[in-house]
Amino acid sequence: MGSTSQPSQEDIAAAIATAALESAQRGARAKTPRGDSGVAQRFATQLAGSDLPLDDVQYAAHTASQRIIQAAFRNGWLPEDIHQLSLRRADTFAQSYLTDAMAAYIHPYPPATVDETRHEQIRALSATAWWTDATPHLAQWAAEHMLTTAEALTTVIESLALLLLLPKLELIRPLPGTARPHSDAHHPIDEKVLGRVRGLLAKAESTSFPEEAEALSAKAQELMTKYALDRVLLEADTLAPDLPGARRIWLDTPYTDAKALLIDVVATANRSRAIFASAWGFVTIVGDDTDLDAVELLATSLLVQATRAMIAAGNMQAGADEARTRTFRKSFLVAYATRIGERLEAATAATIADSADPERLLPVLASHQLAVDAAFETLFPQSRNRGITIRSADGWDAGRAAADRAHISRTQR
């Protein structure tokens, strides 16, 4: 900033990116995932107090953010991933700024060239280009949040520091501008089926009776399985069946490995594969888009039910203090997931056996599974199985008992 020649917007953008990188690197050494706030504040204060034209500084901040968002997208991070990361590692100002930065990046692309998953995630975040072109985005954003220029620039640098050290992930959806409208079209579950499933799961989450909750969840699984099998047979007669897709489910702490196991068993019961990124706390599921919709619906509901059952089991145990320990609760959730997986698999097998044409269906399902396995191995060639240590026999027994209470056979419902 002490140069005799006036820096260009490009120069200022490069300086902002360099400050963000320094903040990120120092933060990594100090194990502070948000970066070094001192670096961000010092540089932002210096930049805001310089004699550079304010518009140039604000436009440069936008340029730097767009380049770093682009790099994060190219490294496989989706809008929801960045949002979940900001929820865990940043303040509300950084969350808001990153949402705007993603909206600004995607806004110029023709809608047909942005894949539906990104569209859905951007819509879910209410990420829109709400600002006008009359003044730089940062000026309007700072006014919206009642921040000074220095405070707004500090947020920019902290937000970008959060992204700069992110690892490269698998590219599970097309980059903005590269989606092919016809081949990448997402075929969601029929709205009537979806409404019935959501209704059953909502009842399961609201009831205080574990047996009723699990029976309702089993009914939801049966409905989704019947719908998926009908779709598999229908697409077997077409020349261009859906290719396997992928999406991520982020998990809340604690016990993320046990919760990941629950998602894995739901994915398996719905003809999909799952892999857990333990360092970041998300599960990637691979499968047909319709099956992935089912996995997300059921797994999200079962995570709520499992947590409630775990707390209830702790309250009912004679040794209540032990039942509230981490070892008991983790063992409970692992056992719950394991038993739920067994029951979902049995329910799926029974639905297949009772289908109108099981002899025709089984070869189609086998071919479908091969396609899913091939897509999974392409995305995750180095994947490996990892066990979970169980340290509480009481927790294990309580978890299996909670998952075993449901009467899920069709004659017992």
Side-chain angles (χ1 to χ4, degrees), residues 70-389:
Q70 181 185 54
F73 282 168
R74 287 180 174 174
N75 281 337
W77 291 77
L78 296 171
E80 176 64 11
D81 300 328
I82 292 174
H83 175 64
Q84 290 292 336
L85 180 75
S86 70
L87 289 177
R88 290 159 172 77
R89 301 190 173 192
D91 60 21
T92 55
F93 293 126
Q95 292 162 26
S96 170
Y97 183 78
L98 286 170
T99 298
D100 276 9
M102 290 188 287
Y105 183 81
I106 289 178
H107 180 69
Y109 289 100
T113 68
V114 179
D115 111 280
E116 186 57 28
T117 296
R118 290 183 195 269
H119 273 308
E120 288 175 357
Q121 293 185 0
I122 286 292
R123 282 194 293 266
L125 295 175
S126 299
T128 59
W130 56 268
W131 55 93
T132 69
D133 294 332
T135 56
H137 163 262
L138 189 63
Q140 297 174 66
W141 180 85
E144 181 77 13
H145 292 276
M146 295 184 290
L147 298 176
T148 65
T149 300
E151 290 169 337
L153 287 169
T154 299
T155 293
V156 172
I157 295 166
E158 289 180 340
S159 300
L160 301 186
L162 189 68
L163 303 181
L164 278 170
L165 296 184
L166 293 180
K168 188 176 180 65
L169 298 180
E170 299 72 24
L171 188 62
I172 62 174
R173 304 306 302 176
L175 289 169
T178 67
R180 293 171 294 173
H182 299 295
S183 60
D184 288 330
H186 178 198
H187 300 289
I189 298 176
D190 179 85
E191 282 300 321
K192 289 183 180 179
V193 177
L194 194 58
R196 292 181 65 192
V197 169
R198 282 178 171 159
L200 288 165
L201 294 178
K203 289 179 181 177
E205 292 171 29
S206 63
T207 181
S208 57
F209 300 101
E211 296 91 343
E212 183 183 9
E214 292 169 24
L216 289 164
S217 297
K219 178 62 177 175
Q221 171 70 27
E222 182 183 335
L223 275 176
M224 291 186 293
T225 300
K226 285 181 176 178
Y227 177 82
L229 297 184
D230 289 343
R231 186 172 186 85
V232 164
L233 285 175
L234 177 65
E235 292 184 348
D237 295 328
T238 68
L239 295 177
D242 279 351
L243 296 175
R247 62 188 71 170
R248 299 187 182 106
I249 299 176
W250 285 74
L251 302 172
D252 293 325
T253 56
Y255 320 118
T256 53
D257 50 354
K259 293 173 181 177
L261 178 61
L262 183 55
I263 293 176
D264 179 64
V265 301
V266 175
T268 300
N270 287 278
R271 300 156 298 282
S272 304
R273 297 278 300 273
I275 186 169
F276 178 41
S278 56
W280 296 95
F282 64 77
V283 177
T284 305
I285 48 176
V286 178
D288 176 81
D289 275 329
T290 302
D291 291 334
L292 296 184
D293 287 339
V295 173
E296 278 195 289
L297 276 171
L298 188 58
T300 301
S301 178
L302 283 171
L303 285 170
V304 172
Q305 296 176 53
T307 301
R308 186 174 62 239
M310 174 190 73
I311 294 170
N315 293 335
M316 290 187 295
Q317 288 289 112
D321 290 341
E322 196 273 336
R324 295 190 184 103
T325 63
R326 289 181 63 88
T327 54
F328 178 95
R329 289 185 165 182
K330 181 175 178 178
S331 299
F332 179 100
L333 290 174
V334 172
Y336 186 97
T338 302
R339 185 56 183 149
I340 285 292
E342 294 168 0
R343 296 177 75 86
L344 290 179
E345 287 282 7
T348 299
T351 304
I352 292 172
D354 281 357
S355 65
D357 195 353
E359 292 185 0
R360 177 168 170 258
L361 180 61
L362 289 174
V364 176
L365 286 176
S367 176
H368 174 94
Q369 190 64 54
L370 285 174
V372 170
D373 290 343
F376 184 88
E377 296 300 332
T378 299
L379 285 171
F380 305 102
Q382 305 298 323
S383 66
R384 64 183 187 275
N385 291 327
R386 244 178 60 186
I388 303 177
T389 303

Side-chain angles (χ1 to χ4, degrees), residues 63-75:
T63 299
S65 72
Q66 292 302 283
R67 289 174 179 168
I68 292 173
I69 285 288
Q70 181 185 54
F73 282 168
R74 287 180 174 174
N75 281 337

